[in-house]
Amino acid sequence: MPKQRITSLTTVTAVTTVALLTLAACGTESGKGSGSGSGAGSGGEVRTETALTDVRWNVDSVTVGGRKTAAPAGASVEIDSRGRASAKTGCNSIGADVTVEGDTVTVGKKQSTLIGCPKELETFEKALDGAFSGTLKATVQDKRLTLTTADGDAIALTSEPPAPLVGTEWTVDALAQAATATSLPKGTDGKARFTFREDGKELSMEGSLGCNSFSAPAKLSESASGAPATLTIGRVSSTRKLCPGPEMTLERQVQKVLEGKVAYELRHRGLTLTSAGGQGLSAIAPAPGK
C-alpha cells in the first residue's frame, strides 16, 4: 500500500499530519476591498460581497497556455486570514506562503504531498501547481473567484458553504496510522462511507465499512480550551458477508478508527477522524448539488 510522503519543495524539513491535507506556512493579508465608494483605479481593491480569505474555493477549471482543463472532484484552494494557504488537487495537497494585498495574491514557498496519482489527475495537478504560483491577480464576483497569472493562465473557482456533520454522506478518501497518511487499497474508492443521523437528542452513524453495512450509536462532545472536539462511538453492529481482499483490508482499517472516543475535525467538505491509538481516516462530502 503506497504511503503518502510530504516533502517540502523548498526546504529540507518534511511534515506529515493526520489532518491530511491542510499544509501551509504563514503570510500576511491587508487591503481587502469594501465594495463601496471606489472607482476602477482605487488601489486595485477586490470589490465584492464575498471575502477572498477564509472561504473554501472549489476549483472549476485551470487554463494554462490557452488549454482549459476541468477540475476533478475535491480540487480546492483555501487562504486563511493569516495568509496560510492550502490547495487540494484531487489527489495531492499543496501548501504555500501567501500574501494578500488588495487584489494581488503572491504565492511563496510551497510544500506538497507525494501520492502517486492516476494519469488524468497527475495532468491536472501539474496545471494547478503551475498556475498557483508567483503573483496572481484576484477577481471576485458574486461567488466566483478567478486567479490570473502575469502570463494569462487562470484558475476559475466557486465558493462553497461548509457541509454539516449530521445528514451528510461522508466518503472515506484516505487513511492514516500515527502521523503517516496512506491512500486507500486499490479498487476501493467510494466503498467506505457513513452518515450521522439525529433522532431527537440521540445521534447515530450508519453506512458501509468498505464491505459490510454497519450502524453504531454516537455522541458528540464540543471542544474546550482548544482541545479537539471528540466523537464517542458505541458498539458497531454490521453484516458479515465476505468481499474481495482489498475491501476487507479497507474495512478492518476503518473499524480500527471507529472505536470508542475519536477526535474529529470538520473543514468545509472534509472530515478527519483520529482514534486514541493513532489510526485515522479522512472523508469528503459530495459537492453541492450532487
Side-chain angles (χ1 to χ4, degrees):
M1 182 183 302
K3 288 190 175 181
Q4 181 189 54
R5 294 178 290 117
I6 301 181
T7 306
S8 170
L9 300 182
T10 54
T11 66
V12 176
T13 304
V15 181
T16 307
T17 68
V18 74
L20 295 175
L21 316 168
T22 311
L23 306 175
C26 296
T28 60
E29 178 191 2
S30 62
K32 285 184 187 177
S34 62
S36 61
S38 53
S42 59
E45 292 182 336
V46 180
R47 295 177 296 278
T48 175
E49 295 180 357
T50 303
L52 171 62
T53 59
D54 292 326
V55 175
R56 179 185 173 112
W57 296 98
N58 286 336
V59 181
D60 299 322
S61 64
V62 177
T63 301
V64 176
R67 181 174 181 178
K68 183 176 181 180
T69 304
S76 65
V77 173
E78 292 181 53
I79 303 172
D80 71 18
S81 56
R82 296 169 295 175
R84 296 183 297 187
S86 62
K88 297 180 183 179
T89 68
C91 181
N92 282 289
S93 299
I94 300 168
D97 288 349
V98 171
T99 301
V100 179
E101 295 185 350
D103 64 352
T104 300
V105 177
T106 304
V107 181
K109 295 185 293 185
K110 289 194 287 186
Q111 297 173 311
S112 178
T113 57
L114 296 174
I115 295 176
C117 308
K119 185 64 176 179
E120 62 274 14
L121 292 182
E122 183 180 336
T123 299
F124 172 80
E125 185 171 285
K126 289 180 179 179
L128 178 61
D129 185 36
F132 191 60
S133 301
T135 300
L136 307 171
K137 287 297 180 181
T139 303
V140 186
Q141 185 173 13
D142 296 325
K143 296 182 179 181
R144 297 187 180 277
L145 166 67
T146 303
L147 298 174
T148 307
T149 70
D151 295 330
D153 296 338
I155 307 172
L157 312 98
T158 303
S159 65
E160 176 196 308
L165 176 67
V166 177
T168 297
E169 183 176 65
W170 298 99
T171 300
V172 177
D173 62 351
L175 300 166
Q177 171 60 50
T180 302
T182 63
S183 53
L184 301 182
K186 186 176 181 180
T188 63
D189 289 351
K191 295 290 186 180
R193 55 193 181 277
F194 53 86
T195 303
F196 291 97
R197 306 289 185 190
E198 197 166 30
D199 183 9
K201 294 184 178 181
E202 300 296 323
L203 184 69
S204 63
M205 63 187 305
E206 60 185 44
S208 170
L209 294 166
C211 171
N212 285 283
S213 300
F214 82 100
S215 63
K219 181 179 180 181
L220 291 175
S221 299
E222 297 299 328
S223 59
S225 302
T230 59
L231 173 70
T232 302
I233 302 171
R235 183 176 179 275
V236 173
S237 300
S238 68
T239 56
R240 296 182 179 277
K241 66 180 179 179
L242 294 177
C243 295
E247 293 178 23
M248 296 304 297
T249 297
L250 171 63
E251 178 160 309
R252 286 191 293 270
Q253 292 176 310
V254 171
Q255 280 183 302
K256 289 179 181 179
V257 181
L258 305 183
E259 293 180 353
K261 184 175 289 187
V262 300
Y264 78 92
E265 181 182 14
L266 181 61
R267 289 177 56 86
H268 297 285
R269 285 197 303 115
L271 173 66
T272 301
L273 302 180
T274 309
S275 73
Q279 292 84 10
L281 63 80
S282 70
I284 190 169
K290 294 186 179 180

